[in-house]
Amino acid sequence: MEHKVHIFDTTLRDGEQSPGASLTGREKLEIAHQLARLNVDVIEAGFPCSSPGDFKAVQEIARSVKGPVITALARAVKADIDAVWESVREAERPRIHIVLGSSDIHAKHKFRRSREELLAMGVEAVRYARTLCPDVEYSTEDASRSDRRYLYQVLEAVIEAGATVVNIPDTVGYAVPAQWGRLIADIRRNVRNIDQAILSVHCHNDLGMAVANSLAAVRAGAQQVECTINGIGERAGNASLEEVVMALKVRRNYYGAYTDVVTSELCRTSSLVSRLTGLTVARNKAVVGANAFAHSSGIHQDGVLKNRDNYEIFSPDDVGASGTEIILTARSGRHAVRHRLEGLGYTLTPEELERVHQRFLAVADAKKEVFDEDLHALMADERGTSNQTYDLESFRVTSGTGVCPTATVALRSGEAVLEQSASGDGPMDACFSAIDRITGLGVTLKEYQLNAATAEKGALGLARVTLERDGATATGQGASTDVVEAGVRAYISALNRLLARAK
Ligand code: KIV
Ligand code: ZN
């Protein structure tokens, strides 16, 4: 039988504990509204006892965010519980979340109390919280390093005292999936009254297994998963919400479980959290990373263009991503280049495609990634120089401080290769003069412009040259990662147009 997994988002509490990620009250509210759009089941809005500012932020969220349960964290002491209740009581559906250690390590080195004393403290805290609020969650901190029998005993006692949710945290990220799944299954078997509470897990990512552990727990019967957007949280972070949710969506049959999360809001939520916390998302992050739908190798690009299912297990729309991206690099084949050019409105003959692909490869070798602007520049160059009279064969320039700039340019015209050298005010001027010597056409340079096609170090230079001869003008464009070559190509293109017009 399929079961629903409640998604408990703790981005605003555990996530905000990420070093360097503190949020203002307004920012927390903005994220909380987005989490409600994402349709998470529970929002843990903060730890009200930690500061008056956090208290106010939780209160504001409780007052204005509708839909999810709103909770906040308390230690198992009256003052904390009172603060949580005061901050969440105006929520549509408030919950008090109490945490108390259950491991001997915490008992001895953190609380300096016996197991029995801690058990009594936990039970008393739950009983008190239940006098305030009908929904009380109890977390057995450091459960993964706790004695099994004692853990069962604590769970049974707090459920008896009125806990409606019991949460099993792997506080230090020590668990491994098979063992963690077994623990959850054993809790289901050994805690007599477990059916009277929702069984939850909260996994940290110290060994990179927070998501795998959470999913193993779901398979073993956990009904709530605590997680954060982008996996932010203490130290290495918490289980990433988007990964847990998408794993349950894509492998629903395997897990026998589903969530009510509106997955098309995942990317928007991820970028909001990233922007407001300043914690950037790695490009290769699963589900929401910039590369999640980016295909780079020629084989994959060809496959995904034939049918997306070849290399994608869910679609960009499923998570609200902008779309499948074909990254044009030196590994891209003709299929990918033609596809992108068609998307930009160019229809190419097979011969044109061949020529453009060769030039594309030269550009890609020089600048790693080729963008749409680069393709426009290549096409302007290609279209402007087909049917030409002169074609660039090669060029060489010498220039520098205290050196007279000189250039040698070779142009192909039909079968002939014509070469000339010249000096000039700069390398560009020297090249233009060398070309003038070859053609002997007596043209006047009216305009020369050079721009970078994209804002990056290895950008394509996009040159534009206007020439005049006998009252007629023509403009040509040239593109290359070498700016002198871009200028030379633009000059030749303008020349050829002048000649074509004269004909
Ligand atoms: O990691 C942890 O144990 C916690 C609890 C408060 C659930 O964050
Ligand atoms: Zn935690």
Side-chain angles (χ1 to χ4, degrees), residues 13-14 202 204 238:
R13 199 276 301 166
D14 214 325
H202 174 114
H204 277 271
N238 291 62

Side-chain angles (χ1 to χ4, degrees), residues 75 78 88 117 119 121 126 154 159 193 217 230 238 253 276 287 293 329 333 357 373 375 386 422 472 474-476 485:
R75 289 164 295 187
K78 186 169 178 301
V88 301
E117 283 172 314
L119 177 57
M121 214 175 137
V126 172
V154 171
I159 294 171
N193 52 2
N230 300 334
N238 291 62
N253 288 344
L276 296 183
V287 180
F293 298 96
T329 67
H357 187 242
E373 293 85 343
L375 291 178
S386 54
T475 299
E485 182 181 335

Side-chain angles (χ1 to χ4, degrees), residues 15-72:
E16 213 222 359
Q17 288 171 217
S18 307
S22 100
L23 296 161
T24 65
R26 267 179 63 178
E27 290 168 340
K28 288 185 88 165
L29 187 61
E30 193 178 343
I31 292 174
H33 278 294
Q34 179 56 31
L35 290 171
R37 255 173 251 130
L38 187 63
N39 204 30
V40 300
D41 298 280
V42 185
I43 295 175
E44 184 165 49
F47 183 26
C49 233
S50 67
S51 74
D54 209 42
F55 178 94
K56 256 191 90 193
V58 175
Q59 195 172 50
E60 198 50 49
I61 290 169
R63 282 178 181 155
S64 65
V65 177
K66 305 296 172 205
V69 167
I70 307 295
T71 191

Side-chain angles (χ1 to χ4, degrees), residues 333-355:
R334 288 165 189 75
H335 191 173
V337 173
R338 193 192 65 214
H339 174 82
R340 179 70 68 84
L341 282 169
E342 283 174 355
L344 296 173
Y346 298 101
T347 311
L348 286 89
T349 63
E351 299 74 38
E352 245 180 338
L353 176 62
E354 196 50 45
R355 268 197 311 275

Side-chain angles (χ1 to χ4, degrees), residues 8 10 13-14 17 44 73-74 97-100 106 137-143 167-172 202-204 226 234-235 238:
F8 176 118
T10 181
R13 199 276 301 166
D14 214 325
Q17 288 171 217
E44 184 165 49
L73 187 65
H97 180 191
I98 298 167
V99 61
L100 183 62
H106 280 209
E137 172 167 338
Y138 188 88
S139 282
T140 52
E141 192 185 19
D142 204 17
N167 181 39
I168 318 298
D170 178 22
T171 304
V172 289
H202 174 114
C203 299
H204 277 271
E226 303 197 354
E234 276 285 359
R235 306 180 310 280
N238 291 62

Side-chain angles (χ1 to χ4, degrees), residues 367-384:
K367 68 187 290 284
K368 309 295 175 229
E369 190 174 339
V370 179
F371 300 102
D372 290 352
E373 293 85 343
D374 301 321
L375 291 178
H376 280 303
L378 278 182
M379 284 310 294
D381 198 11
E382 167 64 23
R383 294 267 153 103

